[in-house]
Amino acid sequence: MAQTPIMQKPVLKIATAQFENKSGDKQYNLSIIEKLSQQAAAEGADAIAFHECSITGYTFARRLSKPQMLELAEEIPGGPGIAKLAELSRRLNIIILAGLFEKDERDNLFKAYVCVDKNGLVAKHRKLHPFINPNLTPGNSYTVFDIHGWKCGILICYDNNIIENVRATTLLGAEVIFMPHVTMCTPSPRPGAGFVDPHLWKDKNEEMLRKDFDGPKGREWLMKWLPARAYDNAIYAVFSNPIGMDDDQLKNGCSMILDPFGDVIAECRTLGDDIVTADLTRDKLVKAGGYRYLKARRPDLYGDILAQPHESKQKVAWL
């Protein structure tokens, strides 16, 4: 039986969100996802993207045992989180992308990010490079799926720092890559990096918050690499990040959407829960320089080099 072709929207309207999640409080986090999804739907968005582990909270998981992680995690698609997202999608008429911890029937644990519509699960990506908790299992595949005829991909946080992952997802057909994060404002060997004082958030010191959030601890670092991922691959990048306290760490939000030219076309700039929307048009996918770069590839020169195995030397210390 022939499949009915998917009708492709000439313009895809996407929203990205930022909000202050509560550690382990799925009911609260889903209530904020509902509120912001309703706002995005009212603005005509086809889909809204939330940050990494937006349903469960993230940073607090570094202290959880495996039994505690299993209690927090859900089976996908059979868990209550997916059911709730599907109910919201039906009622609000919007596709929702959000993150949570996943467990399977053998009690393996994963960092997952899902796309859910009114009929349920559309796509699931398991983070390829998880490290917040030693009990997490890395994913082993890329994720490409359709939203209204547009090819979309998902890469979670550190997945995007490995440039081959973005290129591979693009080569599999992705035109839009959702990039949920919990990032910035943490210690690093990078000059200027470090925590932002939580008291600034408690006191709502807007001047000092904006200085740290936009400086080398935050957005200034993000702008060193995120536009390049969009530009080099001629894709739309949908970046989502929490704002406010995530466990004991302060995050700076600045959820944004970048076009295939690497330009920011929408960005959350408030110091609180917020969304922004942007219209994605197909003409930029072929006009951007990255489209020509993809066509000019010479994998015969470097295919074997890029495929060489190596011993990972990554070590991450969680404070």
Side-chain angles (χ1 to χ4, degrees):
M1 182 177 177
Q3 289 185 336
T4 302
I6 298 173
M7 295 298 293
Q8 185 180 81
K9 280 196 166 190
V11 177
L12 189 66
K13 195 176 189 70
I14 297 293
T16 186
Q18 64 179 33
F19 74 92
E20 186 175 24
N21 57 235
K22 290 187 178 180
S23 299
D25 193 339
K26 290 190 271 190
Q27 183 176 353
Y28 172 81
N29 295 332
L30 283 165
S31 74
I32 303 302
I33 288 172
E34 178 177 4
K35 180 185 73 171
L36 295 177
S37 297
Q38 186 172 19
Q39 182 181 340
E43 295 182 17
D46 296 300
I48 182 169
F50 294 92
H51 59 268
E52 177 183 18
C53 285
S54 45
I55 294 174
T56 54
Y58 177 68
T59 303
F60 81 112
R62 72 193 190 276
R63 295 188 297 268
L64 300 185
S65 65
K66 185 168 185 179
Q68 290 172 319
M69 287 290 291
L70 288 169
E71 184 177 356
L72 176 69
E74 299 183 14
E75 292 187 359
I76 298 175
I82 305 303
K84 178 62 177 178
L85 294 181
E87 184 272 322
L88 292 177
S89 181
R90 283 192 298 273
R91 177 158 49 86
L92 301 175
N93 192 31
I94 190 170
I95 294 168
I96 303 173
L97 296 100
L100 69 164
F101 291 107
E102 177 194 6
K103 61 184 175 184
D104 68 11
E105 66 280 1
R106 295 182 297 276
D107 284 349
N108 294 311
L109 288 158
F110 305 91
K111 174 81 65 55
Y113 194 77
V114 297
C115 175
V116 175
D117 69 7
K118 61 184 179 181
N119 297 312
L121 185 68
V122 174
K124 175 184 71 177
H125 179 73
R126 289 171 170 171
K127 190 174 183 179
L128 306 173
H129 303 274
F131 47 74
I132 192 67
N133 185 288
N135 295 296
L136 291 169
T137 302
N140 60 7
S141 64
Y142 296 110
T143 305
V144 177
F145 58 100
D146 273 42
I147 291 181
H148 296 308
W150 287 66
K151 290 291 184 184
C152 299
I154 298 169
L155 291 168
I156 303 172
C157 201
Y158 200 73
D159 292 352
N160 294 281
N161 295 121
I162 313 304
I163 60 176
E164 290 88 347
N165 291 332
V166 185
R167 177 52 59 89
T169 304
T170 302
L171 291 174
L172 288 171
E175 301 161 316
V176 181
I177 300 182
F178 292 93
M179 301 179 175
H181 279 67
V182 177
T183 193
M184 296 182 278
C185 304
T186 52
S188 165
R190 170 174 48 86
F195 290 125
V196 176
D197 186 350
H199 286 97
L200 298 178
W201 184 254
K202 182 179 179 182
D203 299 337
K204 288 297 183 288
N205 188 325
E206 185 169 349
E207 181 180 354
M208 291 300 296
L209 283 170
R210 187 54 65 197
K211 179 181 177 183
D212 277 351
F213 281 0
D214 287 353
K217 294 180 179 180
R219 189 181 187 276
E220 188 176 300
W221 166 76
L222 186 70
M223 290 295 99
K224 291 179 182 294
W225 65 267
L226 182 59
R229 301 295 183 272
Y231 179 82
D232 287 344
N233 294 285
I235 51 96
Y236 286 95
V238 182
F239 170 84
S240 307
N241 193 51
I243 193 164
M245 297 305 300
D246 180 55
D247 192 41
D248 58 352
Q249 297 181 13
L250 181 55
K251 298 301 174 187
N252 66 322
C254 71
S255 294
M256 62 178 69
I257 300 172
L258 299 93
D259 70 10
F261 294 103
D263 292 326
V264 177
I265 55 175
E267 181 180 355
C268 293
R269 295 296 295 165
T270 61
L271 295 175
D273 300 352
D274 198 11
I275 68 161
V276 290
T277 62
D279 290 335
L280 281 51
T281 58
R282 303 198 62 80
D283 59 318
K284 289 185 177 182
L285 295 170
V286 296
K287 289 180 179 178
Y291 177 77
R292 298 190 298 276
Y293 307 157
L294 288 165
K295 296 292 185 183
R297 291 170 61 247
R298 291 279 310 277
D300 56 301
L301 293 176
Y302 40 75
D304 291 342
I305 297 172
L306 295 178
Q308 286 185 36
H310 70 280
E311 182 180 349
S312 176
K313 297 180 180 179
Q314 175 188 336
K315 293 182 179 179
V316 178
W318 287 98
L319 303 178

